[in-house]
Amino acid sequence: MNHPNWNADRLAYLDPSGIRKVFDLAKNLKNPVNLSIGQPDFQVPDIVRQKAVDSIQNHANGYTVTQGIDAARDALKIREGIQHLQDRELILTSGTSGGLVLALLATINPGDEVILFDPWFALYPNMIRLAGGTPVTVDTYPDFDLPLDRIGKAITAKTKAILLNNSGNPSGRVYPKGQVEALANLAKENGVLLISDEIYSSFTYDTEFVSPVCFNPDTLVVSGLGKSYGFTGWRVGFAHGPRDIIQQMIKLQQFIYVCTPTPAQHAIPAALECDISPLIKNYQAKRDYLSDRLQSAFPHKKPEGAFYLFLPVPKGWTGSQFVAEAIRRELLIIPGNVFGEKDTHFRVSYAASQATLEKGADILLELAQLAPG
Ligand code: PMP
C-alpha cells in the first residue's frame, strides 16, 4: 500500500527496548537458560488468585471509580503508612509503568529537565522525552551509590524532577538511609519534585528499605504489587503523593487507563495480608548463591535488593559482545547499554530456579575464561 508516513514525530524519541532485542535473538533457541526475566518465578498465593476469581464470578467485572476501590486504596495506605496524612492521596494505576506515565504527563512541561541515575530503568528516559522533557543523566558507576555532589551540580533552573529507583533495576542497590535523606533534602531545598519508583521495595535483603517520603513529604511515590506477589500481568500499580498532583493523575487516568483491572483490585487487600517473607528469604539465598559464585570472575559489590546482579564484563569485552557470546551458548542475559549510556556491564536476573541459576553460572564462568572477540 502506498500511503504517506502516518507515524507521529514523537516516536523518534523512543528507543525500542533492548530487552526485546535479546528476546528476538533468542526466539529460535529451544531451551535457553533464561536469566533475563524481570519478574518473579513464584506463584501467586492461592487466596489472592481466589479473590480475583471471586470478583469475576460475582459479576464485579465493570469499571471501578477512576482512583480505584476504597478497600484496596485503604489497605495500601496502611501498608505505606500514610493513612493519617490528610494532604496525601493515593491512586491505583495500571501497573507501575502506568503510574510513571501519569506522573510524568501530570508534571513535566516541554523543556523541563528530569534528573535520572545511570544505570536506569529503560522506561524513564523514553517517557520523559515523550512527555516533552529532557532527561539529564547522572552517572552512578561503579558502585551505583547516589553521588550527591554531582546531583546537586546537575540541578539547573529548568530542573523539574528527580527520578529515583530504590531498590534499583538493574543495579540491585538499596540506598542507605543517609543517602536517601540527603537526596530528599536536596530536592526539597531546590523546589524540585522527587519521584520515587519503589516497585522493588519488598525485595531488600541486608538493609532496611527507606523511602524518601520519610524526609520529604512532597515526594511522589510510584509503586506496584506485581513483582511482590507474582502477578505482573494483572497490572496492579499505585502512586501516592501531594493531593493536587494525584488529583491531576486521576484526571489523566480517566482518559488513558480508566482504572486498574477490576478483579485485580479486589485481590489487593488479601495480597497485602499474605506473608511474603519466606519468598524474600528464598530470593536472598538465590542472590547469595549467584553473587558468591560469580564474585571472583566478575568482581562486584553484593547488591542489597531487587533480583538482579549488574556485573562488569571481563577486560576487553563490551557488554553487547559479551551478551552476544552468552546467547550463542543459549544463556539469556541483558547488555548494560539497555540501561544507560555505558556498554560495560550485563544484567543477570536471579528470579529463576536453582537449576537454571547453576547452569547460568557455569556458562558465565566459562565465558569469563574466553578471550574477547
Ligand atoms: N519500574 C521498574 C524499576 C521496573 O523494573 C519495572 C518492571 N520491570 C517497572 C517499573 C514496571 O512495572 P509494572 O509491571 O508494575 O508496570
Side-chain angles (χ1 to χ4, degrees), residues 19 38-39 94-100 120-124 165-170 197-200 222-227 231-233 235-237 307-308 347:
I19 296 185
Q39 61 183 343
S94 178
T96 310
S97 311
L100 287 163
W120 25 246
F121 173 50
L123 175 146
Y124 299 166
N165 177 209
N166 189 28
S167 323
N169 174 11
D197 177 347
E198 302 183 358
I199 185 168
Y200 296 104
V222 182
S223 192
L225 301 184
K227 309 261 183 192
F231 52 55
T232 47
R235 312 310 300 136
V236 177
F307 37 73
Y308 308 109
R347 189 190 78 175

Side-chain angles (χ1 to χ4, degrees), residues 94-113:
S94 178
T96 310
S97 311
L100 287 163
V101 169
L102 297 179
L104 293 167
L105 289 181
T107 58
I108 303 307
N109 277 320
D112 284 348
E113 293 177 356

Side-chain angles (χ1 to χ4, degrees), residues 41-93:
D41 69 329
F42 48 75
Q43 287 190 345
V44 180
D46 291 350
I47 174 76
V48 180
R49 279 185 285 142
Q50 190 56 51
K51 291 290 178 188
V53 170
D54 289 350
S55 164
I56 292 171
Q57 297 293 13
N58 296 335
H59 309 290
N61 294 305
Y63 304 129
T64 67
V65 285
T66 315
Q67 68 273 25
I69 60 173
D70 283 345
R73 291 172 58 244
D74 291 346
L76 279 166
K77 284 182 186 170
I78 292 170
R79 166 183 133 138
E80 295 291 296
I82 59 162
Q83 68 274 32
H84 307 303
L85 304 178
Q86 293 307 319
D87 45 6
R88 220 169 163 74
E89 196 41 280
L90 183 143
I91 176 181
L92 296 188
T93 58

Side-chain angles (χ1 to χ4, degrees), residues 358-371:
E358 285 171 18
K359 278 191 218 151
D362 289 345
I363 300 173
L364 285 170
L365 293 174
E366 212 179 284
L367 277 172
Q369 305 297 323
L370 271 189

